[in-house]
């Protein structure tokens, strides 16, 4: 396994490192898509527990101890690593898929119609006039 250093890392590097990690331990036999998905869901649960009783948490996590932020980073990493491994096992180029999804979302949620609005894409077509009239802002009086 490659030594961890303080630098930027790509999805491709993470994919390679995860494959090597699993191969060295003879874990490929356990890394079916289903097993990886269920393991990732478990990690999402652990991530959720960190926020469970904190209410709304502002950006930057002000007031959080360094240990809490480190724990959060570890749980986020667990989710990311399982996601990268799952994509690899399924033959999905995660970077390309993410870029494609961003493009699709840009079409689904055009700035002109959605800026400042939390509406789902299914609500946009029925409320385009409301969005346009309020410069993209939702009318709080409309239901």
């Amino acid at each position: 396994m490659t030594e961890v250093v303080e630098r930027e890392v790509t999805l491709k590097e993470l994919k390679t490192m995860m494959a090597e990690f699993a191969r060295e331990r003879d874990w490929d036999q356990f890394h079916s898509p289903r097993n990886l998905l269920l393991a990732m869901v478990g990690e999402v649960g652990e991530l959720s527990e960190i926020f469970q009783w904190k209410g709304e948490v502002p950006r930057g996590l002000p007031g959080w101890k360094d240990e809490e932020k480190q724990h959060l980073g570890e749980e986020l990493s667990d989710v990311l690593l399982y996601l990268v491994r799952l994509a690899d096992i399924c033959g999905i180029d995660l970077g390309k898929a993410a870029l494609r999804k961003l493009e699709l979302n840009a079409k689904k949620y055009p700035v002109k119609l959605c800026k400042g609005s939390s509406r789902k894409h299914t609500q946009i077509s029925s409320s385009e006039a409301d969005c346009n009239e309020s410069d993209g802002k939702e009318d709080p009086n409309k239901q």
Side-chain angles (χ1 to χ4, degrees), residues 65-121:
K65 298 175 188 164
D66 287 342
E67 301 81 38
E68 290 176 304
K69 288 183 179 182
Q70 182 176 343
H71 182 221
L72 175 60
E74 290 168 359
E75 296 305 334
L76 286 166
S77 297
D78 284 339
V79 172
L80 174 63
L81 294 172
Y82 274 120
L83 180 62
V84 168
R85 184 70 172 149
L86 176 60
D88 183 27
I89 293 298
C90 291
I92 302 296
D93 181 324
L94 195 54
K96 285 181 182 176
L99 290 175
R100 182 172 186 278
K101 185 63 177 176
L102 284 170
E103 287 176 13
L104 291 171
N105 284 346
K107 291 176 185 173
K108 197 185 291 187
Y109 297 100
V111 173
K112 181 179 176 185
L113 299 178
C114 299
K115 190 171 184 176
S117 173
S118 63
R119 284 181 251 176
K120 294 282 292 172
H121 69 94

Side-chain angles (χ1 to χ4, degrees), residues 5-129:
V5 291
E6 295 291 322
R7 64 176 177 80
E8 295 290 320
V9 65
T10 66
L11 288 174
K12 184 177 181 180
E13 289 173 304
L14 288 176
K15 179 178 97 168
T16 300
M17 292 168 74
M18 286 298 294
E20 181 181 334
F21 186 88
R23 193 171 30 261
E24 289 173 344
R25 289 157 182 80
D26 194 25
W27 286 355
D28 284 326
Q29 61 183 319
F30 308 117
H31 285 188
S32 67
R34 176 190 167 277
N35 287 350
L36 291 167
L37 175 63
L38 292 176
M40 184 175 66
V41 167
E43 294 299 337
V44 169
E46 290 181 28
L47 178 60
S48 300
E49 286 177 350
I50 295 173
F51 290 94
Q52 189 170 9
W53 305 113
K54 291 193 180 284
E56 276 305 315
V57 177
R59 289 179 180 211
L61 310 177
W64 283 42
K65 298 175 188 164
D66 287 342
E67 301 81 38
E68 290 176 304
K69 288 183 179 182
Q70 182 176 343
H71 182 221
L72 175 60
E74 290 168 359
E75 296 305 334
L76 286 166
S77 297
D78 284 339
V79 172
L80 174 63
L81 294 172
Y82 274 120
L83 180 62
V84 168
R85 184 70 172 149
L86 176 60
D88 183 27
I89 293 298
C90 291
I92 302 296
D93 181 324
L94 195 54
K96 285 181 182 176
L99 290 175
R100 182 172 186 278
K101 185 63 177 176
L102 284 170
E103 287 176 13
L104 291 171
N105 284 346
K107 291 176 185 173
K108 197 185 291 187
Y109 297 100
V111 173
K112 181 179 176 185
L113 299 178
C114 299
K115 190 171 184 176
S117 173
S118 63
R119 284 181 251 176
K120 294 282 292 172
H121 69 94
T122 54
Q123 299 171 315
I124 292 170
S125 61
S126 64
S127 58
E128 286 180 23

